[in-house]
Amino acid sequence: MIENSMFEEEPDVVDLAKEPCLHPLEPDEVEYEPRSSRLLVRGLGEHEMDDDEEDYESSAKLLGMSFMNRSSGLRNNMSIYRQNPNGSCSVPSMRTMVVCTVVLVIAVSLIMAIYLLPKCTFTKEGCRKKNHTMELIYPLATNGKLFPWAKIRLPPDVVPLHYDLVLQPNLTTLKFAGSVKIVVNIIQVTWKIVLHSSGLNITKATITSAGGHQAKPVEFLEYPLHDQIAVMAPEALLVGQNYTVNIEYSSNLSDTYYGFYKISYKDENSKQRWFAATQFEPLAARSAFPCFDEPAFKATFLIKIKRDEKLSTLSNMPKKATTPVTNGIVQDEFFVSLKMSTYLVAFVVADLKNISKETNGSLVSVYAIPQHLNQVGYALNTAVKLLEFYQKYFLINYPLEKLDLVAIPDFQSGAMENWGLITFRETTLLFDSNTSSARDKKLITAVIAHELAHQWFGNLVTMEWWNDLWLNEGFATFMEYFAMEEIFPELHSDEDFLNLIFKAMMKDSLNSSRPVSSAVQSSEQIEEMFDALSYIKGASLLLMLQRYLTKDVFQAGIEVYLHNHNYGSAQSDDLWDSMNEITNGTLDVKKLMKTWILHKGFPLVTVVRKGKIISVQQEKFLYRVEPENWTSDASYLWHIPLTYITSSCNFTRCTNAYLLDQKSAVIELPEEVEWIKFNVDMNGYYIVHYAEDWKTLIGLLKKNHTALSPKDRANLINNIFNLASLGKESLEKAFELIDYLNKESSTAPLTQALFQLSLIYSLLEKKGEQQLAARVMHRIEHLLGDKIDQQRWTDDGTLSERELRSTLLAFACTHDMRNCRTTATEMFKKWMKSNGTMSLPSDVMKAIFTAGSKSSDGWQFLLKMYSSSVSEAEKSKMIEALASTEDVRKLIWLMQNSLEGEVIRAQELSHIIATVSQSLPGYLLAWDFVKENWEKLTRKFHLGSYTIQNIISSSTSQFATKAHLLEVKSFFESKSEESSQLHCVKEAIDTIQLNIQWMEKNLAKLQELL
């Protein structure tokens, strides 16, 4: 993986006119990019300008600089204005006047020459005239020679066709050796082959022409800032010809979560064992083998791995043969892969056990370390059901003969969709019937559904570049919830999706948001694309489109898209074109969806009802308007597929649709109605303001709340609290709307109300408004107290009822509400007395552990049990409880130990920091920990990664003072430019500003209300 240091220094530069060039350079290889040191032009400053102004001004500086520099000695050694003894200045001498005039004339002449040069335009590629008047400067390779490429993206003149990769990891020395043969095809005559390599010690490089038998040694150059190497051919590489590049190298197994990395774990006998696995997405295949590490450069792969005969290996394809190499070492060879991107290549070397089941000609297997084999049954059955569903839905069979799902003991993300070899964090794959809760089952099902959807969306058809990551992740997220609704309706996964959409909209309502499809180049920018906007907003836009087009039309469009682009790459427009093939002129899907994909944020639709006439108007929903960042309202015009229901029919039957593609419109109903509700089931990505009709809807909820679906009720709660924050509605009305909650029994509205009130409680508590915070908690108890009392400390009921029980009891125990903590503490003491052998109900286990961790003895016992537990589901609940203590020393120890990864794995750190940040004793500790360990954190998890995004967000989101705002700003400004420019840093600053604004506007109102 790319090290941060590669981005913290400018490269050395060299003057082309003075350095002999060993190899010809193509004219389109020169790029001028100020700030990022891709190619530097002598004498050019780093201030950004408009393109035309930039080109002319930089050229003028270039041509005028050398003379000005040579005359600087003259200027320094003479006084233009000589001072008289009385302090006045004398008239300049004649000689001075002449010199100044000459200098001025030459400078003006040179500038005029640049503007008037015939047939020569100064662009970012330089002067296009053959006789260059600009001195073009390339960066230096590590050996001091010119590196022949200056862009972050690889040149298009060479494409890979096939890789032969041989690896030998050593789990004793924790190093690996490798060799790769890459068959490439030449698209444009060139003398170089530029590809990626990161942290590899290359010892040998040769090239062989097609049909040639002799490998010719070649010079190779390295440019670590871009993770690039250049293989310099001894002769021109000809168009249409294939060549084979052979590279031998070695490296260390990574100690981060990227590339080919090492993991230690304890076996059944508590003996330390080592495990090697890969995580290549987005940019880490290059740290395991030299390759063309961009998603559009698809190729086939033949992989061979040498290993200890006591271990086993897995890769994307089935194993073809195992042959002895030397004493105790064997080589596994895998079948040649399908055409795929480098980030999907994967291999694992470990001691693993598995169970398998065949479906439709593919063998599905779930692997884990031996002591976890009894926890893989649920995952296997779930994977088989989902694989069968996707094959029927897409009308394309899963193309491989096998599909492996592997539980990795230490894994940063939830899972990774490597084709044929999906890797998982243990908590997202292993299900223990004794300790896994209803929520755990839902999580495992969702993650498997997501990764299996990727086998088509992402693997079979891949986004061309990371700007369209949403095509991978948005689609996989959409299909995850769609498949779960179809196959596992009892899990009520649509309610989880609803909550995720609400949270994505919070992020998307900030100034610092971005369009779903955004231009990216640097590694930090690419890492930051893995966020709620690519995943959740992308998925919710697809849901909105599916409901508008109808399920059948949408499915047909997906089938066309997958068939048109299988084994290839695609852009967003390719998806809309496929949909338009099905709509056949009745609707321009591309025109509709571009208003959502290329715009950040979302619309606020205001509804005014007068008799049968409904007026609707759209504007941009935005919490904070910064004049310097603001663009005119005209640029924010969405094509909104509005849906609505009315009192004249039941919500299950008659949903009406209207496409709002103007600023405002009028809808005429066939008759007058008692009420109208827009955005049915929150299937659209917009917020609705009902103006005077809020009173009607509040009355409806009090009188007959089941007239609306649970998702519609949750939608109203979310919308009115957001509008209160925006200042469009009063906080009093928002509190009035949730007064009906004592009659509510559905999870979605209860969860959303609890979320909104908890946000208010947290802000007040951290601001030192303890009495007011207590009154908020009293209000929650008034609304939900009876519901909490009704919960039983068992695992009975439907999955939805069980999940609600977990939520309510965990909340009640955390805030010492009713007699929750007393009951939980008693159960914890009994469990502790049994030395952890007593069985606890899995759905309330977290509440019991949290209560037990409040005492010092309980916390220590919980830590001991954490170290010895073999259930990842149980350990996950323990770690959250351990992070809920109010003992400051224990919290510091917990965060520090997780960063070190000895007792508690580093994969848990983000979750620990988020939990610590929620408590009054912990929220300042968490921020101090982040500040003190920033360099270690970014080395371990990498700038821009989802983990770093979460750590920044959770450790700052509770701040609501100007002092904290200044501190957060100053901290990130003191770090590298890459750190301060992160989207998640800007979001954190926006969030603190909004917290301050909210407190200023609502503190007095809350004191009146509560």
Side-chain angles (χ1 to χ4, degrees):
M1 191 70 179
I2 305 168
E3 296 296 334
N4 294 324
S5 60
M6 295 182 187
F7 294 90
E8 290 173 357
E9 57 183 353
E10 298 294 320
D12 295 323
V13 295
V14 68
D15 192 327
L16 259 188
K18 298 181 178 67
E19 178 79 1
C21 183
L22 301 177
H23 302 278
L25 302 168
E26 281 81 24
D28 65 343
E29 291 164 5
V30 181
E31 183 184 39
Y32 157 54
E33 293 183 52
R35 289 189 174 275
S36 51
S37 12
R38 313 305 178 231
L39 175 68
L40 303 180
V41 180
R42 182 178 306 283
L44 185 64
E46 289 190 339
H47 301 290
E48 293 178 359
M49 307 166 230
D50 293 336
D51 285 347
D52 291 342
E53 179 189 350
E54 177 182 321
D55 293 333
Y56 284 124
E57 186 163 333
S58 61
S59 304
K61 285 183 180 179
L62 173 75
L63 294 174
M65 185 63 75
S66 58
F67 177 84
M68 298 302 284
N69 285 343
R70 283 196 296 273
S71 64
S72 63
L74 176 66
R75 293 198 312 270
N76 291 337
N77 291 327
M78 61 183 288
S79 176
I80 296 178
Y81 288 92
R82 295 183 176 84
Q83 201 170 40
N84 289 331
N86 65 5
S88 64
C89 292
S90 67
V91 177
S93 69
M94 182 61 67
R95 183 184 172 198
T96 301
M97 296 284 284
V98 169
V99 169
C100 289
T101 304
V102 169
V103 168
L104 187 60
V105 168
I106 292 173
V108 170
S109 302
L110 286 168
I111 293 168
M112 291 299 292
I114 288 165
Y115 278 84
L116 301 175
L117 272 175
K119 299 177 184 176
C120 181
T121 305
F122 283 92
T123 68
K124 290 186 177 182
E125 285 74 35
C127 174
R128 305 304 293 180
K129 192 179 175 186
K130 286 182 182 178
N131 181 19
H132 285 197
T133 54
M134 285 178 67
E135 295 176 357
L136 300 174
I137 302 166
Y138 273 79
L140 285 180
T142 52
N143 63 358
K145 294 186 179 181
L146 289 176
F147 191 81
W149 188 248
K151 300 183 183 182
I152 292 180
R153 298 281 296 273
L154 295 178
D157 48 13
V158 179
V159 296
L161 303 176
H162 176 76
Y163 294 78
D164 273 1
L165 177 62
V166 181
L167 288 164
Q168 183 168 1
N170 186 321
L171 295 189
T172 303
T173 64
L174 303 179
K175 298 177 184 295
F176 69 94
S179 67
V180 65
K181 292 180 180 176
I182 312 173
V183 179
V184 299
N185 180 255
I186 307 303
I187 306 299
Q188 185 178 329
V189 175
T190 184
W191 291 75
K192 69 187 185 314
I193 298 173
V194 180
L195 63 161
H196 288 113
S197 172
S198 177
L200 301 177
N201 176 30
I202 296 173
T203 53
K204 185 179 179 184
T206 62
I207 192 166
T208 311
S209 59
H213 300 293
Q214 188 176 357
K216 298 178 182 177
V218 291
E219 180 187 23
F220 65 91
L221 305 171
E222 297 178 277
Y223 186 45
L225 189 68
H226 290 172
D227 287 350
Q228 289 172 359
I229 59 171
V231 174
M232 309 307 296
E235 56 197 14
L237 305 175
L238 305 178
V239 173
Q241 295 294 307
N242 289 355
Y243 297 85
T244 301
V245 179
N246 184 18
I247 300 173
E248 296 176 14
Y249 61 96
S250 63
S251 190
N252 295 322
L253 290 169
S254 172
D255 56 4
T256 71
Y257 289 105
Y258 298 87
F260 194 15
Y261 74 100
K262 61 180 185 281
I263 301 154
S264 72
Y265 68 97
K266 298 273 175 59
D267 65 12
E268 303 102 314
N269 304 315
S270 297
K271 182 183 175 185
Q272 187 185 43
R273 302 289 300 274
W274 287 97
F275 188 121
T278 57
Q279 171 60 42
F280 289 162
E281 190 180 31
L283 307 172
R286 63 191 69 175
S287 64
F289 59 100
C291 57
F292 294 77
D293 201 10
E294 293 180 8
F297 284 122
K298 292 192 169 188
T300 55
F301 295 81
L302 171 62
I303 294 172
K304 298 174 184 175
I305 299 177
K306 296 173 184 176
R307 56 160 172 100
D308 186 311
E309 61 185 359
K310 294 173 187 172
L311 300 173
S312 56
T313 59
L314 297 170
S315 188
N316 305 84
M317 300 301 291
K319 200 172 290 180
K320 182 179 181 182
T322 300
T323 53
V325 179
T326 57
N327 203 15
I329 302 293
V330 296
Q331 177 175 279
D332 292 328
E333 179 179 343
F334 298 89
F335 284 99
V336 177
S337 77
L338 299 176
K339 195 176 175 187
M340 64 182 183
S341 303
T342 48
Y343 78 85
L344 294 169
V345 174
F347 27 89
V348 170
V349 182
D351 178 17
L352 295 168
K353 302 290 182 191
N354 71 289
I355 61 172
S356 305
K357 189 182 284 188
E358 190 167 341
T359 175
N360 199 29
S362 295
L363 186 67
V364 181
S365 305
V366 183
Y367 288 81
I369 56 177
Q371 62 262 45
H372 289 157
L373 189 63
N374 62 342
Q375 299 175 39
V376 301
Y378 178 75
L380 180 62
N381 293 329
T382 301
V384 168
K385 286 178 187 173
L386 285 161
L387 195 64
E388 290 169 351
F389 170 78
Y390 285 140
Q391 290 181 119
K392 287 176 187 170
Y393 185 81
F394 298 135
L395 293 182
I396 297 175
N397 283 340
Y398 174 71
L400 304 183
E401 292 178 14
K402 64 98 173 174
L403 175 63
D404 297 334
L405 293 78
V406 187
I408 307 286
D410 200 7
F411 197 75
Q412 183 182 345
S413 49
M416 176 61 208
E417 67 267 19
N418 317 298
W419 215 350
L421 179 61
I422 307 175
T423 47
F424 293 78
R425 186 183 283 214
E426 288 181 323
T427 48
T428 61
L429 192 66
L430 304 179
F431 182 83
D432 178 9
S433 54
N434 296 319
T435 58
S436 295
S437 64
R439 188 173 294 165
D440 294 328
K441 177 178 276 192
K442 188 185 281 191
L443 172 68
I444 291 164
T445 310
V447 175
I448 295 172
H450 183 98
E451 303 309 329
L452 261 63
H454 269 311
Q455 305 303 296
W456 286 266
F457 284 100
N459 299 8
L460 186 68
V461 180
T462 312
M463 79 266 138
E464 196 170 288
W465 180 244
W466 301 106
N467 63 304
D468 276 329
L469 177 68
W470 83 274
L471 280 177
N472 277 20
E473 298 301 349
F475 247 116
T477 305
F478 168 77
M479 290 306 304
E480 159 193 342
Y481 289 103
F482 178 68
M484 285 173 73
E485 270 190 84
E486 295 289 315
I487 309 170
F488 307 102
E490 72 279 3
L491 292 178
H492 294 282
S493 60
D494 54 332
E495 294 177 352
D496 292 287
F497 189 32
L498 186 68
N499 285 324
L500 288 173
I501 294 171
F502 290 149
K503 287 175 184 175
M505 292 178 93
M506 285 176 69
K507 178 186 177 87
D508 202 19
S509 62
L510 300 174
N511 266 345
S512 50
S513 187
R514 62 166 180 83
V516 169
S517 182
S518 300
V520 289
Q521 283 231 57
S522 73
S523 62
E524 297 90 357
Q525 291 170 343
I526 291 167
E527 290 272 13
E528 281 207 286
M529 291 298 284
F530 292 81
D531 67 357
L533 299 175
S534 292
Y535 285 72
I536 311 304
K537 182 177 180 179
S540 58
L541 296 181
L542 292 169
L543 173 67
M544 181 171 68
L545 181 62
Q546 184 207 40
R547 296 303 161 94
Y548 188 58
L549 294 178
T550 73
K551 288 184 178 181
D552 290 344
V553 171
F554 183 82
Q555 182 179 356
I558 285 177
E559 288 165 8
V560 170
Y561 172 74
L562 289 173
H563 278 97
N564 286 353
H565 301 284
N566 61 3
Y567 302 105
S569 302
Q571 300 176 354
S572 295
D573 280 356
D574 295 318
L575 175 62
W576 312 140
D577 290 339
S578 298
M579 293 288 177
N580 278 341
E581 284 186 41
I582 304 300
T583 58
N584 199 25
T586 56
L587 174 71
D588 188 343
V589 176
K590 185 187 287 188
K591 187 177 179 184
L592 169 79
M593 294 308 293
K594 276 196 165 185
T595 69
W596 295 91
I597 296 298
L598 301 179
H599 281 175
K600 68 179 183 178
F602 55 87
L604 167 64
V605 176
T606 300
V607 176
V608 177
R609 179 168 62 105
K610 290 182 180 174
K612 293 192 295 181
I613 302 299
I614 311 295
S615 300
V616 289
Q617 181 176 326
Q618 66 161 294
E619 61 187 290
K620 182 174 168 54
F621 186 101
L622 184 68
Y623 274 124
R624 191 179 178 83
V625 180
E626 301 281 7
E628 65 270 20
N629 295 332
W630 185 244
T631 49
S632 70
D633 280 349
S635 66
Y636 288 109
L637 181 70
W638 285 267
H639 291 192
I640 313 172
L642 297 175
T643 55
Y644 60 93
I645 50 171
T646 68
S647 57
S648 63
C649 64
N650 187 284
F651 68 81
T652 57
R653 286 187 289 109
C654 22
T655 297
N656 304 281
Y658 180 86
L659 184 65
L660 178 62
D661 55 3
Q662 301 296 325
K663 275 289 175 190
S664 59
V666 171
I667 302 169
E668 186 172 353
L669 301 178
E671 58 186 346
E672 284 197 35
V673 293
E674 291 176 31
W675 54 264
I676 188 167
K677 160 72 175 70
F678 275 78
N679 201 358
V680 179
D681 282 343
M682 183 64 195
N683 288 332
Y685 193 74
Y686 56 94
I687 279 178
V688 183
H689 179 29
Y690 292 94
E692 294 305 310
D693 258 12
W694 276 116
K695 290 178 185 173
T696 309
L697 291 167
I698 290 167
L700 176 66
L701 290 174
K702 285 179 179 173
K703 188 174 74 176
N704 180 22
H705 68 281
T706 55
L708 297 172
S709 72
K711 286 195 281 188
D712 272 333
R713 303 197 295 270
N715 178 221
L716 289 176
I717 293 168
N718 173 269
N719 282 194
I720 200 164
F721 273 94
N722 276 308
L723 290 165
S725 295
L726 195 65
K728 293 269 186 181
E729 262 306 340
S730 67
L731 202 54
E732 183 179 10
K733 200 169 281 185
F735 275 93
E736 194 183 344
L737 185 137
I738 59 172
D739 274 342
Y740 90 96
L741 280 178
N742 51 15
K743 296 183 289 185
E744 184 61 82
S745 57
S746 295
T747 306
L750 285 170
T751 304
Q752 180 56 205
L754 207 51
F755 176 76
Q756 294 294 343
L757 293 171
S758 295
L759 285 179
I760 295 171
Y761 170 82
S762 292
L763 278 182
L764 292 170
E765 183 193 40
K766 308 306 185 299
K767 189 76 162 47
E769 297 285 345
Q770 308 303 339
Q771 287 188 332
L772 201 50
R775 278 147 65 185
V776 172
M777 202 50 65
H778 180 73
R779 184 66 170 257
I780 295 172
E781 189 170 353
H782 171 72
L783 292 170
L784 303 179
D786 291 345
K787 195 72 59 192
I788 291 166
D789 289 341
Q790 291 163 16
Q791 303 307 312
R792 298 187 303 278
W793 294 77
T794 65
D795 285 339
D796 301 336
T798 65
L799 283 169
S800 187
E801 288 167 347
R802 290 172 60 188
E803 192 169 8
L804 180 60
R805 178 185 302 141
S806 291
T807 301
L808 290 176
L809 290 180
F811 181 85
C813 282
T814 298
H815 297 285
D816 203 8
M817 196 176 284
R818 300 303 219 212
N819 64 348
C820 181
R821 196 175 284 184
T822 306
T823 307
T825 303
E826 285 171 6
M827 294 181 78
F828 182 84
K829 284 176 179 174
K830 288 179 184 175
W831 178 71
M832 192 161 81
K833 194 174 180 181
S834 75
N835 202 27
T837 58
M838 185 182 99
S839 180
L840 293 174
S842 59
D843 294 328
V844 294
M845 194 180 278
K846 189 172 90 173
I848 294 168
F849 289 161
T850 301
S853 71
K854 300 299 178 189
S855 75
S856 184
D857 288 347
W859 195 91
Q860 292 293 348
F861 181 74
L862 207 54
L863 181 62
K864 185 185 92 169
M865 294 305 296
Y866 173 86
S867 301
S868 60
S869 175
V870 293
S871 165
E872 292 303 316
E874 185 177 56
K875 289 174 85 164
S876 179
K877 298 173 185 67
M878 287 174 174
I879 206 73
E880 194 165 335
L882 288 166
S884 301
T885 180
E886 293 171 4
D887 187 323
V888 168
R889 288 170 302 174
K890 288 183 171 67
L891 293 175
I892 293 170
W893 180 89
L894 202 61
M895 290 187 288
Q896 196 61 50
N897 198 276
S898 180
L899 179 57
E900 290 162 7
E902 294 298 325
V903 180
I904 296 159
R905 294 197 180 282
Q907 67 179 13
E908 307 294 349
L909 182 58
S910 171
H911 190 198
I912 289 170
I913 290 174
T915 307
V916 170
S917 298
Q918 291 302 309
S919 70
L920 187 58
Y923 86 110
L924 293 176
L925 281 179
W927 170 238
D928 285 343
F929 177 82
V930 171
K931 287 188 295 182
E932 288 163 15
N933 294 280
W934 180 248
E935 278 69 30
K936 288 181 184 175
L937 289 168
T938 52
R939 270 200 304 273
K940 184 72 178 175
F941 300 112
H942 289 225
L943 268 183
S945 68
Y946 198 61
T947 303
I948 290 293
Q949 292 176 47
N950 285 341
I951 286 171
I952 291 173
S953 171
S954 62
S955 63
T956 60
S957 62
Q958 309 283 309
F959 294 156
T961 66
K962 289 178 180 175
H964 277 132
L965 174 64
L966 181 62
E967 185 182 332
V968 172
K969 276 183 172 178
S970 300
F971 173 74
F972 286 110
E973 284 169 3
S974 73
K975 300 300 167 188
S976 66
E977 185 179 356
E978 289 79 19
S979 295
S980 62
Q981 293 303 310
L982 289 173
H983 265 297
C984 54
V985 169
K986 294 174 182 175
E987 283 167 20
I989 290 165
D990 274 0
T991 301
I992 299 168
Q993 288 173 326
L994 287 173
N995 290 345
I996 295 168
Q997 190 176 297
W998 193 94
M999 291 296 285
E1000 287 171 351
K1001 284 196 322 193
N1002 293 298
L1003 196 58
K1005 292 178 191 173
L1006 273 174
Q1007 284 165 339
E1008 290 174 25
L1009 273 174
L1010 301 171

